[in-house]
Amino acid sequence: QVQLVESGGGSVQAGGSLRLSCAASGRFFSIRTMAWYRQAPGNQRELVAEITGIGSTVYADSVKGRFTISRDTAKNTVFLQMNGLKPEDTAVYYCYTTASLSALGSTYGYWGQGTQVTVSS
């Protein structure tokens, strides 16, 4: 099993910055893709950014140029640097990872508990 622990959420004024962190722990063979999703009240959960094991990244159009995803592979940790925050970025941000539990095993998805980000105008 994989446990994901997020940190770094909080409240900030528009134009400000926050940095989210998510550390994976538990019994697994390898961590594959790591990603951040977010869900605002009344909305579906949406992908914000993801980073593969070789460092390829994907961003939602709404955050391109403002957010940067990175990872420390040795520590199984993913970061999301959020700059130029807007009120519409307000949401619960969830860490997500895919991991294999053995060398020849299947890959499974795991979610963190979520961290609140609130941006005031």
Side-chain angles (χ1 to χ4, degrees), residues 33-49:
T33 296
M34 302 190 83
W36 290 96
Y37 285 74
R38 67 185 180 188
Q39 187 168 20
N43 291 356
Q44 290 187 334
R45 193 171 296 188
E46 63 176 3
L47 176 69
V48 176

Side-chain angles (χ1 to χ4, degrees), residues 42-65:
N43 291 356
Q44 290 187 334
R45 193 171 296 188
E46 63 176 3
L47 176 69
V48 176
E50 69 175 26
I51 184 167
T52 68
I54 59 172
S56 298
T57 57
V58 173
Y59 293 93
D61 287 343
S62 59
V63 307
K64 283 181 181 176

Side-chain angles (χ1 to χ4, degrees), residues 2-83:
V2 177
Q3 293 81 44
L4 299 173
V5 178
E6 300 138 337
S7 61
S11 297
V12 66
Q13 289 192 327
S17 298
L18 286 172
R19 187 179 191 234
L20 305 183
S21 300
C22 172
S25 63
R27 296 175 62 87
F28 51 85
F29 178 74
S30 67
I31 295 290
R32 306 283 178 98
T33 296
M34 302 190 83
W36 290 96
Y37 285 74
R38 67 185 180 188
Q39 187 168 20
N43 291 356
Q44 290 187 334
R45 193 171 296 188
E46 63 176 3
L47 176 69
V48 176
E50 69 175 26
I51 184 167
T52 68
I54 59 172
S56 298
T57 57
V58 173
Y59 293 93
D61 287 343
S62 59
V63 307
K64 283 181 181 176
R66 299 187 298 123
F67 292 9
T68 302
I69 191 169
S70 61
R71 67 189 287 174
D72 183 334
T73 302
K75 296 182 179 180
N76 295 313
T77 300
V78 64
F79 307 96
L80 185 68
Q81 179 66 44
M82 304 185 292
N83 299 327

